[in-house]
Amino acid sequence: DADRDGRLNSKEIAQYAKGEFGFSVSPQLLDKILPHLASGGGGVPEEKLQALKMALGIAREEEASRERQRLAVARRKLVEERKAALLADVGKVSDAIQEVEAEVKKAEEAARALVPQELQDKAASAIGDAAGRCKELCEAARKELADVHQQIKMLGTDIEAELADVAKMEARKLEIKSEMLQPRLAQVDAAVAKALAQQRKLEQLELDKMAKEAAKAVKAYGAERNMSQDELVAAIDKDRDGAVSKDDFSKFLEECGSSVAKDPEK
């Protein structure tokens, strides 16, 4: 009662509410309280101070309730917006999985050329090319799949607590879809491994055949000229450096007319 008149006016009530209850009284609220508690429009007398406290307490709780409702509405709106954004991200990841599946299908189609019946009449080099193509497609699909797994992992980060279960459920659905691609890639890997084994087998057979032909050509050359072992080695050592190099041996086989000389790298 700053003016010591025994009554609390609007300004004094506002100050009292701020100090006692910690909230600001609006002019509209004062207009509702004063007519009921003031005597003759001169303010609230001391004997009605308890009633004033009750009125201000009720007003404070009503204000707090309205604020809670406002915050709840704002929260629901935020959560709905974030849920829509989350589901949009889920859709993008789902599209990415479909793109990976398309790459897996390419690898599977390429692997059809690696079945045993398709490899029967193919050269080792052709088998190696086909297997290499499949391997490249598998590696590309796996790289994209790893990116998808990272995207799925990120779905559960930086989200509201209310959306944790939704994010977990959607992430699991996407994981199941992506995990179904792994066995298919493993089947392509198995086909590639078998094809490469076939390639190595054919290359070894070819090498064995060429070794026999080369040995036969050397033996025939020496026999025709009645050469000793040392004389034969000297004949092969074209550059006379005391050692038989690949180039020496290739030139020697050319002289012999051997078909092995056409592929000196082998």
Side-chain angles (χ1 to χ4, degrees):
D1 186 11
D3 56 9
R4 301 291 188 268
D5 64 350
R7 298 172 182 277
L8 297 179
N9 57 34
S10 296
K11 182 178 180 181
E12 290 168 338
I13 292 173
Q15 291 174 344
Y16 172 72
K18 188 70 174 178
E20 183 71 14
F21 298 101
F23 85 105
S24 299
V25 180
S26 67
Q28 293 81 2
L29 179 58
L30 288 172
D31 290 341
K32 289 174 62 177
I33 292 176
L34 284 173
H36 295 286
L37 300 178
S39 298
V44 180
E46 184 177 352
E47 62 267 22
K48 291 186 178 181
L49 182 59
Q50 188 61 34
L52 176 62
K53 285 184 178 181
M54 291 180 61
L56 290 174
I58 293 172
R60 180 190 63 178
E61 289 304 316
E62 289 177 346
E63 178 65 23
S65 177
R66 285 191 292 271
E67 179 63 12
R68 287 192 294 270
Q69 290 178 3
R70 185 189 68 81
L71 292 175
V73 170
R75 182 67 181 179
R76 285 195 296 271
K77 182 180 179 183
L78 173 64
V79 170
E80 287 301 318
E81 290 174 351
R82 294 300 298 272
K83 183 179 180 180
L86 171 64
L87 295 179
D89 289 339
V90 169
K92 292 177 183 178
V93 177
S94 182
D95 291 343
I97 292 175
Q98 290 182 352
E99 292 176 1
V100 176
E101 185 175 13
E103 294 301 314
V104 172
K105 287 181 178 179
K106 290 181 183 179
E108 289 173 331
E109 290 172 2
R112 293 193 183 99
L114 301 180
V115 295
Q117 55 267 36
E118 292 291 333
L119 300 180
Q120 287 179 355
D121 300 324
K122 286 188 177 180
S125 59
I127 294 174
D129 290 342
R133 172 61 177 161
C134 280
K135 187 175 181 180
E136 288 177 0
L137 291 171
C138 270
E139 289 175 351
R142 279 201 171 89
K143 183 178 182 302
E144 292 185 16
L145 194 55
D147 291 341
V148 164
H149 287 158
Q150 185 61 29
Q151 292 176 45
I152 294 174
K153 184 178 179 181
M154 293 301 293
L155 288 176
T157 61
D158 190 27
I159 60 172
E160 281 61 31
E162 297 93 326
L163 298 176
D165 289 341
V166 175
K168 185 176 181 181
M169 179 182 66
E170 295 297 336
R172 185 55 190 150
K173 289 179 183 178
L174 294 170
E175 286 172 354
I176 292 172
K177 288 176 66 177
S178 64
E179 288 168 358
M180 292 175 65
L181 300 177
Q182 292 286 10
R184 293 168 61 180
L185 287 173
Q187 289 181 344
V188 176
D189 286 337
V192 170
K194 289 181 180 179
L196 291 176
Q198 177 68 7
Q199 179 193 23
R200 290 190 294 271
K201 180 180 179 181
L202 291 176
E203 287 176 341
Q204 188 59 53
L205 290 173
E206 188 176 351
L207 285 173
D208 291 345
K209 180 181 178 181
M210 293 176 68
K212 290 179 181 179
E213 290 180 359
K216 183 178 179 181
V218 171
K219 185 177 180 180
Y221 185 91
E224 289 175 0
R225 293 162 180 75
N226 196 25
M227 288 180 161
S228 66
Q229 186 73 20
D230 290 340
E231 290 172 335
L232 186 56
V233 170
I236 298 173
D237 182 14
K238 298 299 182 181
D239 55 11
R240 302 292 187 268
D241 62 353
V244 177
S245 65
K246 180 173 66 177
D247 187 56
D248 289 335
F249 196 58
S250 177
K251 290 179 179 178
F252 175 77
L253 290 176
E254 287 180 2
E255 288 183 9
C256 296
S258 173
S259 60
V260 178
K262 296 178 182 179
D263 199 346
E265 293 297 324
K266 293 186 177 180

